[in-house]
Amino acid sequence: MKALVTRLDSFGDVLLAGPAIRAVAARADTVTLLCGPRGAPAAPLLPGVDDILVWDAPWVGFAPPPVGRGEVEQLIDTIDADTALILTSFHQSPLPAALLLRLAGVGFIAADSEDHPGSLLDVRHHRAPHAHEAEAALDLAEAAGFPPADDPRLRVLPPPATAGLTGPGPYVVLHPGASVPARAWSPERCAEAVRELAAAGHRVVVTGDAGESDLTAYVAGEHALDLGGRTGAAELSGVLAGADAVVTGNTGPAHLAAAVGTPVASLFAPVVPAERWRPYGVPYVLLGDQDAPCADSRARQCPVPGHPCLDTVTAHDVVTAVEKLRGEA
């Protein structure tokens, strides 16, 4: 059986698909992951993935491309699968992807869908209303004939050694960036947390991608090691795996930390529900006002002056959360 799993959005979304991918891989001869460009860096980290197709879908993402007939036809000609699982978030429709997979000749397609699918789906599954995204993907896989194959927590392939980057000894990671501004703690609060963590005796490592080097330099200041722009996805997994705890917003590194088993102090803006997107399968402390006016709005820019859902969280709150997590570990 040639299986294809589709998850077209972000880095964290692809990581959350990991348990379902492993369930498919346990019963398929090969598994191809079809993902978008923002999720592609996570794909090589996942056990069970044999091949990766990257396609920028025009119905997904923050700046979707225009619909191009040539690109669509090229994708249809490239797909080679008997069975497909389309993984989406609770607010997304799987039907555009299902149509393309049908045109590519995929004979069996399963997805969560509230919309009537006509002949596009063989398994039209209804997700549990409050399921975490990782659990919802596993439930769909089981409904399609792929029951869980192992421990359902997130996993990645063994990370590389990163002591050369972090230096020896224990440390805490603070990752200040986020995929959208509404989910980010302010730089000023992040810098305060670094100072307070250092004053409490914690060695702090600040992480971020190449486009966040100014942010990480500011947040690290003179009190932390700045690794901004110095880690790809695999190296970041190693840095997070070596940490006692990770402080970050609801963004990809929170899920990567969970995938390597590291506790998370989660600065969680309630623009999406924590019950669906919180760190999965590891100890965590949820910080932020989950009843703020922006709750469930899916806003990308904070709609409330002052960003009160997160900026009411103090550096002391973060230190307390980190020490609680270290104590539990």
Side-chain angles (χ1 to χ4, degrees):
M1 178 199 306
K2 297 178 181 178
L4 181 139
V5 178
T6 300
R7 184 76 214 207
L8 289 170
D9 24 29
S10 73
F11 184 92
D13 298 311
V14 171
L15 292 173
L16 291 171
I21 290 171
R22 298 198 307 270
V24 174
R27 289 157 181 83
D29 297 312
T30 63
V31 176
T32 297
L33 176 60
L34 173 60
C35 60
R38 292 191 303 125
L45 305 182
L46 294 179
V49 174
D50 298 298
D51 195 14
I52 300 164
L53 286 178
V54 180
W55 187 62
D56 198 0
W59 61 88
V60 177
F62 304 142
V67 177
R69 180 169 181 164
E71 291 85 352
V72 170
E73 290 178 345
Q74 182 178 9
L75 176 68
I76 290 170
D77 290 341
T78 303
I79 290 170
D80 180 18
D82 314 304
T83 296
L85 206 66
I86 302 173
L87 302 181
T88 54
S89 297
F90 69 99
H91 61 280
Q92 296 171 328
S93 171
L95 299 187
L99 175 60
L100 297 188
L101 297 183
R102 276 288 190 246
L103 292 173
V106 180
F108 180 88
I109 303 173
D112 289 326
S113 183
E114 296 305 314
D115 299 320
H116 178 61
S119 60
L120 297 180
L121 298 179
D122 300 284
V123 174
R124 178 197 184 189
H125 186 252
H126 296 279
R127 68 158 61 204
H130 302 290
H132 191 280
E133 292 294 307
E135 293 170 350
L138 270 174
D139 289 345
L140 172 61
E142 186 163 16
F146 302 101
D150 54 20
D151 185 324
R153 286 177 291 188
L154 307 187
R155 275 176 46 203
V156 291
L157 296 171
T162 52
L165 285 170
T166 63
Y171 58 89
V172 171
V173 167
L174 191 146
H175 186 92
S179 55
V180 295
R183 301 183 193 177
W185 207 26
S186 72
E188 295 76 19
R189 282 280 196 260
C190 291
E192 288 172 10
V194 165
R195 294 193 294 269
E196 291 288 337
L197 285 164
H202 301 285
R203 191 163 70 90
V204 184
V205 173
V206 178
T207 57
D209 64 30
E212 296 170 328
S213 56
D214 289 344
L215 171 63
T216 60
Y218 171 78
V219 169
E222 299 178 351
H223 303 277
L225 173 64
D226 177 16
L227 292 185
R230 296 176 60 191
T231 56
E235 292 80 13
L236 181 59
S237 72
V239 171
L240 299 180
D244 290 340
V246 175
V247 180
T248 188
N250 174 29
T251 193
H255 304 303
L256 187 55
V260 296
T262 302
V264 180
S266 176
L267 292 150
F268 200 100
V271 290
V272 294
E275 65 182 0
R276 295 188 174 111
W277 296 101
R278 60 170 172 76
Y280 186 73
V282 293
Y284 68 95
V285 174
L286 205 65
L287 299 170
D289 180 4
Q290 300 306 298
D291 297 316
C294 64
D296 296 339
S297 66
R298 299 204 296 274
R300 295 176 182 172
Q301 298 285 340
C302 178
V304 183
H307 207 186
C309 70
L310 287 186
D311 278 4
T312 52
V313 178
T314 67
H316 177 73
D317 294 331
V318 167
V319 173
T320 300
V322 165
E323 294 182 345
K324 178 178 186 295
L325 292 168
R326 289 190 72 195
E328 291 176 356

